[in-house]
Amino acid sequence: MTQPAPPTARSRRVRVWVGGIAVVALLAGGAVAVVRTPWWGCHVGTSTGDSSLDYELGPEPAAEGLGALVEQVASVPGIGPLLGSAPLEQDVRLAPRTDGGLVVSDFPYFAERNEFHDTSLDPVTGEASWSRGQAGQAAVPEVAGDAVLSLAAVEGGIYRLSILDGQDGSVRGCLDVERLDRAGIGRAAAGVSPDGRTVVLATPAESGSAVSAYGLEDREPVWDAALPGTEGTVTWIGDTVVADRLDARDVYSVGPIMWGNDDERTRASITGLDAASGVESWTWPADLSDGATPEAGSTVPFVDGPDGVVVVSALTVEDDEHAARLVGLDPATGAELWSADTATVPWLQGFGDTVVGLAGDVLFAVDASSGEELWRVPVAGGASGPRPDAAQLFGDEIIVATADGITSIDLATGDLTETPVEDAWALRLTTTPSTLAVVRDDAETRELLVFSRDA
């Protein structure tokens, strides 16, 4: 096993607290330097003010020509009338808040030091409780309990993780981590512990990735680790931090690359780190030597079932023969608990202890703990069909937009209810306990539409 690497110049940390005159930071080599005042340090590159989101309550959409779309979405079983809507200047991502609200964020494209806006919206009352602008926002903000985490690639060669109060948007504190010149938007990953007290940041380093854990309340470092390759996702499962990595990644790509062409295969692998110490516990595949049979691809998400099983979608390539399968791993040891062959590499998502996958024209579900198949149903459309990675939990069902409409899927039986909706390929769904939020994003119209849910 590999011990966590000591801090180096390229993994330098600067911790900033709000509520004092100045702070000091321990830099590489033990030197102590005074940094900017807390307010300036945590707020540089940010702005506050009125919301740029023009959300209006009412049964009619803000944009013209969407009346038919509103009627069709409202006819989906379990969906009620339109509550409100807002025109959008660019594509956005939505993060549900624990109180039923939404954090509406400009999608972070690959352009540093452009200002991206985040707005905390109550879609039922129409109230925007706070709005902020962030230069170089590197990832969609993540809700962690009553806090919102915003990761940005800001000037000065650092990644800044700002911890915001979810109710009023005020900055509780921030973490600064040095970044490489070429590492910007879309090049860092963050994962929050289940108890919301610790965050792990994975950022590119000169050789591989720097993975570090910090306490969210005191912003103190917990551990550092150095891993080869580029980390794509970090996820907490039980007492293990699971990181997927790639031996190579194009600078403009986001998410795991499953495989390349015959001459440039990209091998993906997964590492389990002890959540308390950062010590590497295992890798999957176990053999990562050059002569090993390449498990050429793996996809996330990892599924935290009742027993904390890591579920991986794998593609084995040997002598130009491809074999796809699902694998269940023990998060503590990385040992394979079960394996199930699939026709193709599926799109996956976990919902509690059920993993739903789409492989070709087959939608299926397996038990995350045992790998036992629960159901399978034929579907049309392939990649344009009901992709689980785009689905949202909706009571005892999941709901997803396809090329032809909105599909509801019973998690227990696989029964499908399909509602035709025009241009549904341009829709992205987000659920809260009382609403369904729909983002329509196409060349003609960008709109946020929020519908009530039936009791």
Side-chain angles (χ1 to χ4, degrees):
M1 290 187 293
T2 303
Q3 294 293 327
T8 64
R10 64 176 178 271
S11 62
R12 180 176 59 183
R13 301 181 303 274
V14 179
R15 302 187 301 280
V16 183
W17 290 264
V18 172
I21 301 303
V23 297
V24 297
L26 181 65
L27 306 181
V32 176
V34 178
V35 299
R36 296 169 177 151
T37 60
W39 188 93
W40 179 254
C42 277
H43 291 76
V44 65
T46 67
S47 62
T48 58
D50 294 335
S51 172
S52 60
L53 188 69
D54 186 17
Y55 183 82
E56 294 186 1
L57 296 174
E60 299 296 329
E64 296 181 358
L66 296 183
L69 172 63
V70 168
E71 290 182 5
Q72 292 162 357
V73 174
S75 70
V76 174
I79 303 301
L82 184 71
L83 293 173
S85 61
L88 302 173
E89 295 181 358
Q90 66 176 63
D91 193 11
V92 300
R93 293 295 185 269
L94 307 178
R97 285 191 344 221
T98 54
D99 62 359
L102 294 167
V103 178
V104 184
S105 302
D106 292 342
F107 182 67
Y109 292 97
F110 299 101
E112 291 192 43
R113 288 181 290 278
N114 287 339
E115 187 169 79
F116 302 96
H117 293 92
D118 307 316
T119 298
S120 182
L121 173 70
D122 184 331
V124 176
T125 66
E127 179 185 359
S129 56
W130 54 266
S131 183
R132 70 190 292 268
Q134 173 65 65
Q137 188 151 277
V140 176
E142 181 175 356
V143 176
D146 62 351
V148 176
L149 307 183
S150 172
L151 184 65
V154 300
E155 293 185 11
I158 58 175
Y159 278 113
R160 171 164 296 142
L161 181 72
S162 298
I163 299 99
L164 312 176
D165 186 287
Q167 294 299 316
D168 60 19
S170 61
V171 180
R172 295 177 177 175
C174 62
L175 286 166
D176 286 353
V177 179
E178 187 170 293
R179 64 184 174 92
L180 301 178
D181 289 343
R182 70 175 183 274
I185 296 173
R187 297 285 289 164
V192 180
S193 61
D195 62 10
R197 299 176 60 183
T198 309
V199 63
V200 170
L201 296 179
T203 58
E206 291 289 353
S207 177
S209 296
V211 184
S212 305
Y214 302 89
L216 278 176
E217 293 183 3
D218 57 14
R219 272 75 74 188
E220 288 282 357
V222 180
W223 49 260
D224 288 312
L227 295 178
T230 302
E231 305 312 312
T233 307
V234 288
T235 307
W236 291 72
I237 298 184
D239 296 326
T240 304
V241 174
V242 181
D244 79 303
R245 69 172 184 258
L246 300 163
D247 293 340
R249 181 195 292 270
D250 181 84
V251 68
Y252 292 111
S253 67
V254 177
I257 302 174
M258 291 190 292
W259 60 87
N261 57 43
D262 290 338
D263 298 325
E264 298 178 355
R265 297 226 178 260
T266 298
R267 180 171 60 189
S269 55
I270 297 171
T271 300
L273 303 172
D274 181 82
S277 65
V279 172
E280 183 179 305
S281 303
W282 51 267
T283 64
W284 181 92
D287 186 359
L288 295 177
S289 64
D290 292 339
T293 299
E295 294 276 7
S298 63
T299 61
V300 290
F302 309 102
V303 180
D304 188 359
D307 299 320
V309 177
V310 182
V311 178
V312 181
S313 176
L315 179 73
T316 303
V317 181
E318 187 172 16
D319 298 329
D320 292 330
E321 295 293 327
H322 297 183
R325 63 184 181 128
L326 291 185
V327 184
L329 306 178
D330 184 326
T333 66
E336 292 193 9
L337 302 176
W338 54 263
S339 178
D341 293 338
T342 59
T344 63
V345 176
W347 286 279
L348 291 178
Q349 188 169 175
F351 303 93
D353 59 353
T354 301
V355 182
V356 181
L358 176 64
D361 292 329
V362 175
L363 188 70
F364 65 90
V366 299
D367 183 280
S369 301
S370 64
E372 176 187 1
E373 184 174 295
L374 303 176
W375 49 261
R376 67 169 49 218
V377 293
V379 293
S384 299
R387 284 178 45 174
D389 58 321
Q392 294 282 304
L393 192 60
F394 194 69
D396 295 329
E397 301 178 326
I398 56 176
I399 187 170
V400 61
T402 70
D404 301 316
I406 293 178
T407 300
S408 304
I409 305 161
D410 189 302
L411 277 175
T413 64
D415 291 341
L416 274 66
T417 302
E418 298 173 301
T419 304
V421 177
E422 65 181 22
D423 298 330
W425 57 267
L427 305 182
R428 190 166 53 255
L429 312 182
T430 301
T431 57
T432 74
S434 60
T435 64
L436 170 71
V438 178
V439 173
R440 176 190 167 99
D441 179 29
D442 66 11
E444 296 181 357
T445 307
R446 286 193 172 107
E447 186 91 356
L448 170 64
L449 304 164
V450 181
F451 298 81
S452 66
R453 288 175 58 171
D454 293 342

